[in-house]
Amino acid sequence: MNYWLMKSEPDVFGIDHLKAMPKKTEHWDGVRNYQARNMMRDEMKKGDQVFFYHSNCKEPGIVGIAEVVKEGYPDFTAWNPESKYYDPKSTEETPRWFMVDIKFKRKLKRTITLTELKHQPGLEEMALVRRGNRLSIMPVRKQEWTLILGLE
DNA sequence: GCCAACGTTGGC
DNA sequence: GCCAACGTTGGC
């Protein structure tokens, strides 16, 4: 089993939005970055665990846990001219963008803030705390996952 | 709201 | 294929 971290802006789609979805599940559409796409298309597997991270907000940090329930499939919002994620270069025959479905598992008892993660020994290698990192999806090592959960 | 970092685009 | 310009991300 693998571990991941996915960023989302709480004003747009936060952990509570996910929890409120039917079946507490939502497809992760709108990712238009190749590295992140490759992870969703090729590497994220059913049952993988996901840290749900709130970005671009007052208190950026990890707020909950979700699980991959559907593996990579084409992001259909790219085919919809009405969508803000529309990309004419992506077609049904040769889809360019992919997504997975994730399901809400639980909220953390508290937000584990970015500041805290930055100062936590053992997490230096995490992409999240490295300067200038803008990836919206990133792998988390098992030992990092365990360490972070221990901070809760 | 500012701005650094970084990815993408497009002219050449 | 280089690289400047531009757009976006996201912390602060």
Side-chain angles (χ1 to χ4, degrees), chain A residues 81-140:
Chain A
E82 305 292 307
S83 169
K84 64 173 174 171
Y85 300 125
Y86 178 58
D87 180 357
K89 293 186 187 129
S90 182
T91 64
E92 297 197 34
E93 293 72 35
T94 53
R96 171 172 298 205
W97 304 112
F98 287 76
M99 59 189 175
V100 298
D101 287 359
I102 65 167
K103 178 172 186 173
F104 173 87
K105 286 194 75 182
R106 68 179 182 89
K107 281 167 90 162
L108 298 188
K109 296 188 201 88
R110 64 183 190 87
T111 301
I112 299 174
T113 64
L114 177 62
T115 316
E116 199 176 344
L117 295 170
K118 277 184 173 165
H119 293 100
Q120 180 63 39
L123 300 179
E124 297 85 355
E125 297 298 312
M126 276 191 92
L128 184 71
V129 304
R130 306 196 79 121
R131 206 165 65 112
N133 189 283
R134 290 169 30 188
L135 259 189
S136 61
I137 301 176
M138 61 188 79
V140 176

Side-chain angles (χ1 to χ4, degrees), chain A residues 112 145-152:
Chain A
I112 299 174
W145 178 274
T146 310
L147 199 161
I148 291 168
L149 271 189
L151 300 174
E152 185 186 3

Side-chain angles (χ1 to χ4, degrees), chain A residues 27 29 32 73-80 83 86 97-99 101:
Chain A
H27 48 265
D29 61 9
R32 297 292 178 267
Y73 63 107
D75 180 343
F76 48 75
T77 63
W79 304 330
N80 177 8
S83 169
Y86 178 58
W97 304 112
F98 287 76
M99 59 189 175
D101 287 359

